[in-house]
Amino acid sequence: MEKLIITAAICGAEVTKEQNPAVPYTVEEIVREAKSAYDAGAAIVHVHVREDDGTPTQSKARFKECIDAIYKVCPDVILIPSTGGAVGMTAEERLQPTELFPEMATLDCGTCNFGDDVFENTMPMMRDFGKRMLENHIKPEYECFEMGHLDTILTMAKKGLVPGEPMQFNFVLGVPGCTPATVPNLCWLVNAIPAGSTWTATGIGRHAFTLAAPAIAMGGNVRVGFEDNLYLERGVLAKSNGELVAKVVRIAKELGREIANPAEARKILSLPAKG
Ligand code: KMH
Ligand code: ZN
């Protein structure tokens, strides 16, 4: 089995300091949380950015400021900026971080319910996102919130509308209104991806670790972080993203899976070596 790649989704667009005071908004706070996750064993940081007051933004300038500041303290980390942004943002707004030519970025694979909202990813939008990633040589992380998202993106890849194999999928399960975070659902998705693909499991809320454990045992990778879950255990808020990553490291150790550093993760993901 390959080493385990841990992604930390340190911020997200929706969670707030009212829910957990450690949720980062400012550049300094985002750097602090990225560093805590990296030090604990995360090879990848999934980046959303906020204004200082917590408002989600996809501003290219704010992404640049945060990305440059993270690289200063975590020089080899893999950064995956979001092109999902927050519900209600336009496609052009969401695409701004692709103008910074990151090695990877998320590409959301279909429209879905998102709690009380609708997260819009129409076919024309997805074709635009795929085109931009092909032009800018960005490897997408394909975010699948629903079973049907996988078939959608595989069909687009076959037509050359989005970057193709080897593909990296992130199965984000347990968003209210979307596919539940169950082991059978995860197995169904994993069984349907092309040979040679890589995949990550993200369990939302109380499913963060109950989905992480089977993913580790199945040879997949794991994402945790404040974007997905604010608690270390029932009733105990995590003090940092690093605490959430450290818990995944402990589970992996118990299951006999070693942790990939960023250089090893780049190899597993077929990314060019850095520097
Ligand atoms: N904030 C969610 C509506 C992504 O990063 O690509 C979408 C999201 C997905 O977080
Ligand atoms: Zn995200």
Side-chain angles (χ1 to χ4, degrees):
M1 222 179 253
E2 294 276 19
K3 290 188 180 181
L4 172 69
I5 304 172
I6 303 174
T7 300
I10 57 172
C11 173
E14 289 82 20
V15 289
T16 66
K17 282 189 192 295
E18 283 70 44
Q19 295 168 294
N20 182 331
V23 169
Y25 295 163
T26 67
V27 177
E28 292 70 26
E29 290 167 349
I30 282 180
V31 171
R32 179 199 73 212
E33 287 307 306
K35 175 91 165 61
S36 81
Y38 172 84
D39 288 346
I44 301 178
V45 173
H46 169 52
V47 187
H48 284 256
V49 297
R50 308 284 188 98
E51 304 291 357
D52 285 350
D53 67 1
T55 309
T57 174
Q58 288 290 104
S59 150
K60 180 181 168 187
R62 186 66 161 190
F63 263 100
K64 181 163 173 24
E65 206 182 348
C66 288
I67 286 173
D68 289 351
I70 294 172
Y71 279 142
K72 275 203 179 124
V73 293
C74 315
D76 58 344
V77 73
I78 299 168
L79 296 181
I80 305 187
S82 173
T83 67
V87 166
M89 288 177 171
T90 65
E92 268 320 301
E93 204 176 353
R94 284 168 51 180
L95 276 168
Q96 289 178 79
T98 62
E99 293 164 22
L100 299 168
F101 300 92
E103 54 193 323
M104 293 185 75
T106 59
L107 197 160
D108 296 286
C109 298
T111 295
C112 54
N113 287 311
F114 211 86
D116 288 352
D117 299 312
V118 173
F119 181 33
E120 198 179 42
N121 295 284
T122 62
M123 295 301 293
M125 283 169 78
M126 289 165 59
R127 284 195 287 271
D128 284 351
F129 281 50
K131 186 166 176 280
R132 177 70 63 87
M133 298 216 192
L134 285 163
E135 285 167 359
N136 288 11
H137 305 287
I138 299 167
K139 180 176 172 119
E141 177 172 77
Y142 291 110
E143 312 286 311
C144 299
F145 298 88
E146 291 275 30
M147 303 300 233
H149 289 181
L150 181 56
D151 187 56
T152 304
I153 208 66
L154 291 177
T155 304
M156 290 184 78
K158 266 195 204 122
K159 292 181 179 165
L161 296 170
V162 296
E165 295 176 21
M167 297 167 82
Q168 157 64 12
F169 301 92
N170 180 19
F171 302 125
V172 185
L173 304 184
V175 170
C178 295
T179 297
T182 67
V183 174
N185 287 344
L186 181 63
C187 291
W188 186 91
L189 288 159
V190 172
N191 284 335
I193 61 178
S197 307
T198 49
W199 63 274
T200 299
T202 301
I204 299 299
R206 64 196 166 87
H207 303 290
F209 300 105
T210 58
L211 205 67
I216 294 167
M218 288 161 66
N221 301 297
V222 170
R223 182 176 106 175
V224 287
F226 289 157
E227 177 166 348
D228 309 315
N229 164 49
L230 298 163
Y231 290 85
L232 194 57
E233 56 187 78
R234 195 186 169 94
V236 181
L237 285 172
K239 290 193 187 70
S240 68
N241 278 274
E243 279 196 346
L244 298 169
V245 172
K247 183 161 172 171
V248 175
V249 171
R250 288 199 298 277
I251 297 169
K253 200 169 174 198
E254 289 295 334
L255 295 175
R257 191 103 184 261
E258 288 181 73
I259 309 300
N261 64 32
E264 292 164 337
R266 278 194 181 82
K267 250 193 201 147
I268 295 166
L269 295 167
S270 306
L271 290 170
K274 191 166 183 185

